[in-house]
């Protein structure tokens, strides 16, 4: 495996990054407002396309993140762009927070559905009515996981916005190669 430092992330890391960014943003936009109220009214979530799409896209994020973490261990070295120590540490902390949220969002959603005995409803008619393993676990009672999930959903968008603003700051003000490193490399003419 080539571990030499380059100016760009490899193509698969690029694909994972931008696909995840798009899927997270659409899942956020479709975040089911008033879910608890709908459930209390006895509405079947399978009849609501926003809920079905939200849950399907959210689980797609989980699958993408697990595959991406495997790729992180195997891929060529990530670009090492020289920058001030505090910037480097902030970027590392931001990445850690984003990785943690990408995993915590689907996990808290499953805890929310399982602990309240609400069905998981996905595209293609996939449906899981009960998740007894979650419902009977001690962790299910530790928090209102729906509230935690909503909070984390807002948090990932705020942090991703800050992260994108930092990338644009690097490009426009610092004029280094940070933003370009996550964009496809130009082919030499
Ligand atoms: C990247 C992934 C995800 C993001 C960014 C996200 C974001 C959000 C947001 C912002 C809300 C609150 C909506 C509002 O009140 O206006 C929400 C609610 C909800 N999400 Fe997600 N979500 C994600 C993944 C998932 C997954 C994987 C599932 C199901 C397996 C799911 C199921 C739900 C449910 C059931 C609610 C309603 C919670 C309640 O009110 O009790 N979400 N989500
Ligand atoms: C929901 C949206 C986003 C999420 C969850 C996210 C997450 C991440 C993560 C986890 C990394 C580390 C990647 C790796 O090591 O392979 C990363 C890197 C990067 N992202 Fe994002 N990102 C998002 C949106 C954006 C946007 C909109 C931009 C640009 C405007 C951007 C620019 C970058 C750049 C330039 C890097 C590599 C350089 C660095 O920060 O050190 N990201 N992103």
């Amino acid at each position: 495996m080539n571990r030499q430092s380059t100016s760009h992330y490899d193509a698969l890391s690029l694909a994972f990054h931008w696909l995840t960014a798009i899927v997270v943003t659409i899942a956020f936009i479709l975040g089911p407002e008033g879910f608890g109220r709908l459930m209390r009214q006895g509405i079947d979530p399978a009849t609501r396309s926003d809920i079905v799409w939200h849950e399907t896209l959210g689980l797609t994020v989980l699958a993408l993140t697990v595959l991406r973490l495997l790729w992180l261990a195997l891929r060529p070295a990530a670009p090492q762009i020289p920058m001030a120590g505090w910037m480097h540490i902030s970027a590392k902390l931001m990445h850690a927070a984003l990785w943690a949220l990408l995993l915590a969002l689907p996990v808290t959603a499953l805890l929310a559905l399982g602990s309240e005995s609400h069905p998981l409803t996905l595209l293609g008619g996939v449906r899981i009515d009960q998740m007894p393993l979650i419902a009977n676990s001690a962790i299910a009672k530790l928090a209102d996981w729906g509230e935690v999930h909503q909070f984390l959903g807002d948090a990932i968008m705020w942090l991703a916005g800050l992260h994108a603003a930092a990338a644009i700051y690097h490009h426009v003000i610092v004029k280094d190669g940070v933003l370009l490193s996550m964009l496809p490399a130009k082919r030499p003419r």
Side-chain angles (χ1 to χ4, degrees):
M1 185 66 59
N2 170 23
R3 285 261 163 201
Q4 276 195 341
S5 179
T6 58
S7 56
H8 287 79
Y9 280 85
D10 62 278
L12 194 51
S13 293
L14 246 66
F16 274 132
H17 178 269
W18 291 111
L19 196 57
T20 303
I22 293 168
V23 177
V24 168
T25 307
I26 302 174
F28 175 79
I29 293 167
L30 295 174
E33 208 180 327
F35 182 81
R37 183 174 35 82
L38 292 175
M39 295 300 104
R40 281 190 295 279
Q41 288 169 352
I43 290 169
D44 183 347
T47 61
R48 291 282 305 253
S49 63
D50 58 341
I51 296 176
V52 171
W53 272 96
H54 178 79
E55 295 187 353
T56 307
L57 292 174
L59 288 185
T60 306
V61 170
L62 177 62
L64 282 171
T65 305
V66 170
L67 291 174
R68 194 173 164 196
L69 282 170
L70 287 176
W71 178 236
L72 202 71
L74 299 170
R75 72 183 185 188
Q80 300 295 328
I81 293 161
M83 64 180 78
W86 69 267
M87 270 190 195
H88 184 68
I89 293 170
S90 319
K92 287 268 172 230
L93 287 175
M94 177 61 90
H95 289 181
L98 289 169
W99 282 117
L101 284 169
L102 289 171
L103 291 171
L105 272 159
V107 170
T108 51
L110 292 174
L111 285 170
L113 292 174
S115 59
E116 304 261 343
S117 297
H118 295 318
L120 170 73
T121 49
L122 304 177
L123 287 176
V126 178
R127 176 182 189 108
I128 299 178
D129 278 303
Q130 299 284 338
M131 294 180 230
L133 215 60
I134 295 177
N136 299 329
S137 69
I139 201 170
K141 293 159 194 82
L142 279 183
D144 179 337
W145 290 107
E147 294 259 313
V148 176
H149 177 73
Q150 287 183 28
F151 174 78
L152 297 184
D154 289 340
I156 198 171
M157 291 319 287
W158 280 104
L159 289 188
L162 208 63
H163 161 78
I168 293 166
Y169 172 82
H170 273 276
H171 190 67
V172 176
I173 311 283
V174 187
K175 299 194 195 314
D176 60 12
V178 168
L179 178 59
L180 295 179
S181 73
M182 206 29 113
L183 295 173
K186 278 199 190 124
R187 284 173 192 281
R189 282 171 193 260

